Amino acid sequence: MSINTDKAWNKLYARLSDEQLLVAESEQATTVPFIVKMRRAAAIVVLCICGGAAGLYLSSKRGTEQFVSIHNADMSNTLVSTLTDGSIVYLTSGATLTCPERFAADKRMVSLQGEAMFDVHGDKACPFLIETESVVVEVTGTEFDIKSADRESFELSVRQGSVKVTLKADGIPIRVEKGETVRLQADRLQKSLSADKRQFARYTEKMRFKDDRLDNIVRVINKISDKPVVFADSTLESREMTITFSNNTASEMVELLCVGLDLKYTDDGKVITIGR
């Protein structure tokens, strides 16, 4: 922003002249220092006002997009979080996910450091992108896990669907399908069949939910339950709680939820219903 100090001084000079606050011409020799000081002061005032306005403008622009970081400091349990778009993230110990408070209309961009499993809510019009130190992962809705400790290490395995992985160094994408794993080796992405058939199960063995909604917790339980868990009263869905599960069955998880929130449940052998 360009500041016209001469124009600012002229306005101040005219005002002082109108109010007869300027000394006569014969006295200028003794008052020059004062005039100089006034001119400098006027410039500083204008500069401060304009600078402050510019600062407020830039601050408002920076504040239009707020980010949150989800970090799992728990050494024993997976931290499970549901994002604003409905995607579920399972963060292992030490992992950090950074994402905007609200996703943009055309893309869902997050960054990951560490190891996590993703269950991405499907939206073909709004791709879900995960940035690590070495690659960018793009999906529209699928299940997969990522191991990314630093720039030299990256591994991704697909449980369901298809994932596009692009190495930042060369910009060349590679498509990874269900049952496949891609690794960063010798600065190249190498694809192979997944060897560990139980690698996804360990994310749900010991889970921790922190201040999460009851419907989000039940949604995760339903992914590993052999029968659906439903609510008898929809007003219960927004109840929040912090809870840890350790090698519990789906029925045991529901029982723990009900004990913690003073609720009741019924199990008719086909459906588990949570009620008051």
Side-chain angles (χ1 to χ4, degrees):
M1 183 180 295
S2 176
I3 307 300
N4 191 333
T5 56
D6 288 333
K7 184 178 179 180
W9 162 245
N10 289 335
K11 289 182 65 177
L12 180 60
Y13 187 94
R15 179 179 174 184
L16 294 175
S17 179
D18 290 342
E19 296 178 8
Q20 297 182 344
L21 295 176
L22 293 177
V23 296
E25 193 173 295
S26 60
E27 300 176 46
Q28 281 186 353
T30 58
T31 58
V32 167
F34 172 75
I35 298 300
V36 173
K37 290 179 181 178
M38 288 297 295
R39 183 167 182 171
R40 290 175 179 171
I44 291 171
V45 169
V46 173
L47 189 61
C48 288
I49 292 173
C50 295
L56 288 173
Y57 173 76
L58 292 174
S59 177
S60 66
K61 293 294 286 183
R62 284 195 300 266
T64 56
E65 190 172 21
Q66 300 294 326
F67 289 83
V68 295
S69 288
I70 306 170
H71 176 69
N72 185 10
D74 195 322
M75 297 298 293
S76 303
N77 302 290
T78 298
L79 177 63
V80 185
S81 295
T82 301
L83 306 183
T84 56
D85 69 326
S87 298
I88 304 171
V89 182
Y90 302 75
L91 295 171
T92 61
S93 177
T96 300
L97 182 82
T98 302
C99 61
E101 288 186 344
R102 293 187 178 278
F103 288 116
D106 58 341
K107 63 181 178 180
R108 297 169 286 172
M109 189 80 185
V110 305
S111 63
L112 173 71
Q113 184 172 23
E115 182 178 347
M117 181 172 72
F118 291 82
D119 183 356
V120 176
H121 176 70
D123 188 347
K124 292 183 179 180
C126 187
F128 193 98
L129 297 101
I130 305 165
E131 183 178 14
T132 72
E133 290 195 50
S134 55
V135 309
V136 175
V137 176
E138 180 178 346
V139 299
T140 55
T142 184
E143 293 181 55
F144 56 95
D145 74 341
I146 292 177
K147 301 174 184 176
S148 178
D150 50 45
R151 187 179 296 275
E152 284 73 35
S153 65
F154 174 83
E155 181 178 319
L156 179 146
S157 298
V158 180
R159 186 178 190 181
Q160 295 289 340
S162 177
V163 175
K164 183 172 78 171
V165 181
T166 303
L167 187 63
K168 290 181 179 180
D170 57 22
I172 300 175
I174 184 172
R175 182 67 63 175
V176 189
E177 307 291 341
K178 176 182 176 181
E180 294 181 334
T181 294
V182 63
R183 295 180 180 86
L184 179 59
Q185 296 176 329
D187 297 326
R188 293 182 59 189
L189 292 173
Q190 306 286 341
K191 189 168 67 171
S192 63
L193 293 177
S194 301
D196 187 357
K197 302 301 181 182
R198 294 196 71 259
Q199 68 184 89
F200 299 103
R202 61 190 179 85
Y203 290 96
T204 57
E205 290 174 351
K206 296 182 178 181
M207 299 184 292
R208 182 171 183 263
F209 297 82
K210 186 178 185 301
D211 299 327
D212 212 339
R213 286 171 52 108
L214 187 55
D215 58 345
N216 288 337
I217 300 174
V218 168
R219 184 165 159 236
V220 173
I221 294 174
N222 271 322
K223 290 184 173 296
I224 57 177
S225 178
D226 58 356
K227 49 192 166 185
V229 180
V230 300
F231 292 96
D233 184 348
S234 61
T235 61
L236 298 176
E237 296 178 4
S238 61
R239 298 279 296 272
E240 295 184 352
M241 72 179 306
T242 295
I243 191 169
T244 299
F245 301 121
S246 182
N247 295 302
N248 298 112
T249 65
S251 296
E252 290 171 341
M253 292 180 191
V254 172
E255 183 177 1
L256 290 170
L257 286 175
C258 291
V259 170
L261 294 173
D262 194 23
L263 300 174
K264 297 179 180 179
Y265 75 97
T266 59
D267 185 349
D268 64 4
K270 295 181 179 180
V271 179
I272 300 176
T273 304
I274 299 176
R276 297 186 184 276

